[in-house]
Amino acid sequence: MNDQNKLIIEYANRAIALFRISVDFLSTKSVNGAYASAGELICILQTLAFLEVIHGAIGIVPSGFFSPLFQWAGRVYFLLAAVRGIDEVQELPAVFITFVAWCFAEIIRYMFYALSCVGNCPYFLIHLRYTAFIMILPIGAVVEMWTMYQTLQVILKKKLYADHFDSIPFSYYTFVKAGVICHPFLCLLQYLHLFKQRHSKLSLRSEKKIK
């Protein structure tokens, strides 16, 4: 299977996840069923997305290494430890918003990568690829942080994962609390990086069109 086909499959999987969430929302008129309808699929897809980190590292896709690694690690932790691991947050509206934001972002990104592989990516998609984050990233960052904040009370009450760290001086509650505090600053760094990337890619494209 070549790289283009892999990217198309990734695109299709995200579209399926978004379709499942949409069907659940339309049938139930509720945003509480996002995890039940597509959560496990998204967990699997996001875990497998580590391949994108590798692809960026070896140059198959032009995403680089550290930015995809940072995003992958944050999303996998959010999904597996915060959402999948804590039943009480799975029906929060914030999970619905997070999943929808992620799916839209990934559908745009994988479509861009797939068409770029064959050298046939239209300008509107290039522009969308490097512009959609302006709205999607802040929405995702806020709802992810809110979801993490909601887990704090559950972690403290249930002493969640405490037995895993009995032998070392480590508080999982304090770790998550620190993560909630740091989250806006880390997302701001990512946001500024994407703006820099946007300026570079769209400026280069404009110069090519002028020539």
Side-chain angles (χ1 to χ4, degrees), residues 37 51 90 111 116 128 135-136 138 140 151-152 177-178 197 210:
S37 61
L51 290 173
Q90 290 178 5
M111 188 187 300
S116 294
L128 186 61
M135 180 183 297
I136 292 175
T151 67
L152 287 172
K177 192 173 182 179
Q197 190 179 56
I210 293 172

Side-chain angles (χ1 to χ4, degrees), residues 15 22 44-46 51 54 58 75 84 88 104 107-108 112 121 123 140 147 157 173-174 180 183-184 198 202 207-208:
S22 301
I44 293 170
L45 293 176
Q46 194 56 53
L51 290 173
I54 298 173
I58 62 179
R75 286 187 176 184
R84 192 175 187 271
E88 288 84 347
F104 272 118
I107 286 170
I108 293 169
F112 164 77
C121 187
Y123 179 72
T147 304
K157 182 179 179 181
Y173 172 80
T174 303
V180 172
H183 189 75
R198 179 180 188 272
L202 296 186
E207 289 174 5
K208 287 182 178 179

Side-chain angles (χ1 to χ4, degrees), residues 25 30-31 60 75-76 100 105 125 153 166 181 198 201:
F25 171 71
S30 171
V31 297
I60 293 177
R75 286 187 176 184
V76 166
V100 170
L125 185 56
Q153 187 175 359
D166 282 341
I181 294 171
R198 179 180 188 272
K201 298 294 183 180

